[in-house]
Amino acid sequence: EDCPVGFLYTDATIPPGCDKCPAGKYAGNPASLSCDSCDADTYSEGKAASCTPCPYGSSTNSLTEQDISGCICPAGEGMEFSKEGYYTCMACVSGRFSSSSMHLCEECPLGHHGEAGSEKCDECAAGKYADVTGLSICKTCGYKQYAESSGSFVCTDCPVDASFDETISGSTTRNDCKCPAGKQNHIPPDQVSGSYYCESCPVGKSSTAGALSCTDCEAGKYASSTGMTSCMPCE
């Protein structure tokens, strides 16, 4: 008795019998002695009498694709199940993207955002951030916060004792955080955290409010203690 379509005759078993065609192949005729590879832009999941064409607009990167995931949509599109009841390539929605080698649209990663139909997600600009995936628009750093680099997924807080102009939104520099008089911006040597704190001026130096660094006392003046807001004249 002939093997049905989707199967091939084999004498590798005892007794000889029929063996199903593996995924990516097909047998369109009864009593086939071999399974043929699927053509480009088609696929089969096994036991196939013929290969299934990829949904409209998609293509395969190789032969012998084993399921619909081998059908790739153009960049900026992903495979979706339409309301009409079939798979088709559709533009990625805002906050998602697909490259030319992807089957589905994926969410933009942290620190990035994407418009509809994006091939890739863009980094958030300095002063903005994305602390969750899948954002279409980056969030803006708030009061007493800043983000100096692009691609940030969190904003850095100003020092607790620093002042901040309430009209500033989306600060891109730590210099918008103003240390009080008698202190200066202290940046950690390793710069790993990207944050800093307001450090008291050392002996022999002073600072006014908002100064980025302490200034040496000029000739004829002195600062005998730390945290001086001005240098005292010598007696």
Side-chain angles (χ1 to χ4, degrees):
E1 185 175 320
D2 291 340
C3 294
V5 292
F7 289 76
L8 75 157
Y9 177 80
T10 177
D11 56 8
T13 60
I14 299 175
C18 300
D19 194 10
K20 66 180 181 181
C21 291
K25 294 179 178 290
Y26 74 101
N29 298 313
S32 294
L33 298 179
S34 64
C35 299
D36 298 317
S37 296
C38 290
D39 294 330
D41 305 336
T42 65
Y43 68 94
S44 83
E45 298 179 350
K47 296 189 296 184
S50 62
C51 296
T52 304
C54 285
Y56 178 77
S58 64
S59 60
T60 57
N61 291 329
S62 64
L63 302 180
T64 67
E65 292 296 347
Q66 299 181 4
D67 55 46
I68 196 172
S69 66
C71 300
I72 306 301
C73 295
E77 298 181 7
M79 195 70 66
E80 299 285 349
F81 196 70
S82 70
K83 61 183 180 181
E84 289 80 11
Y86 56 86
Y87 284 100
T88 185
C89 291
M90 300 180 67
C92 298
V93 298
S94 299
R96 302 177 73 91
F97 76 102
S98 77
S99 67
S100 58
S101 61
M102 296 170 60
H103 172 67
L104 300 173
C105 299
E106 294 184 0
E107 289 187 336
C108 293
L110 298 176
H112 293 71
H113 69 105
E115 299 177 349
S118 294
E119 298 182 22
K120 64 180 184 67
C121 298
D122 298 318
E123 289 186 334
C124 294
K128 297 180 179 293
Y129 70 104
D131 57 347
V132 294
T133 60
L135 286 186
S136 58
I137 300 175
C138 296
K139 302 177 183 179
T140 301
C141 293
Y143 178 67
K144 296 189 75 170
Q145 291 183 326
Y146 62 92
E148 293 188 315
S149 59
S150 59
S152 296
F153 57 88
V154 66
C155 297
T156 303
D157 292 328
C158 292
V160 175
D161 53 351
S163 61
F164 195 86
D165 187 342
E166 294 184 2
T167 64
I168 295 176
S169 177
S171 173
T172 62
T173 173
R174 60 167 59 93
N175 294 342
D176 286 333
C177 306
K178 307 297 185 183
C179 288
K183 294 188 176 184
Q184 65 181 348
N185 291 354
H186 179 76
I187 303 171
D190 58 10
Q191 282 287 312
V192 172
S193 66
S195 61
Y196 70 97
Y197 61 90
C198 293
E199 176 188 52
S200 294
C201 293
V203 172
K205 294 188 176 186
S206 67
S207 74
T208 57
L212 299 179
S213 60
C214 299
T215 305
D216 291 329
C217 292
E218 61 187 36
K221 294 187 177 183
Y222 71 100
S224 59
S225 62
T226 60
M228 295 289 287
T229 60
S230 63
C231 296
M232 306 298 292
C234 295
E235 297 180 355

